[in-house]
Amino acid sequence: GIPDPPAQINGPSSLCVGESDQFMVADPEEETAYQWLASGSATINASGLATEASLSWTSSGVRTIQVAARNACGTSTRVIK
């Protein structure tokens, strides 16, 4: 079936413009890939199953990060940080 949503996103609460940091899925499920989205002008670098991603922004402001679990059956609801 469709995977459960990730428990939470681990990573810093704030970043400076141009700074990059790692964000991780807490307790990732085996054989499950993760899809990352971020608001604003974000650069997201993730590979493989994408249980973690490096993010940075080129402009200031309040931003959010979202991640969803996905497999062959579909995509979970998103978790937001």
Side-chain angles (χ1 to χ4, degrees):
I2 294 173
D4 291 329
Q8 69 181 35
I9 299 170
N10 292 333
S13 297
S14 64
L15 288 175
C16 293
V17 173
E19 186 179 61
S20 178
D21 212 331
Q22 291 292 116
F23 294 84
M24 294 150 277
V25 172
D27 301 319
E29 293 183 35
E30 289 186 33
E31 307 288 326
T32 300
Y34 294 88
Q35 179 181 34
W36 295 85
L37 293 173
S39 65
S41 54
T43 299
I44 303 171
N45 291 308
S47 61
L49 294 177
T51 57
E52 57 184 61
S54 174
L55 281 87
S56 64
W57 280 267
T58 57
S59 64
S60 62
V62 176
R63 304 287 187 239
T64 60
I65 302 165
Q66 302 179 34
V67 67
R70 62 188 171 119
N71 63 20
C73 294
T75 302
S76 73
T77 57
R78 299 190 180 284
V79 172
I80 300 172
K81 178 176 179 92

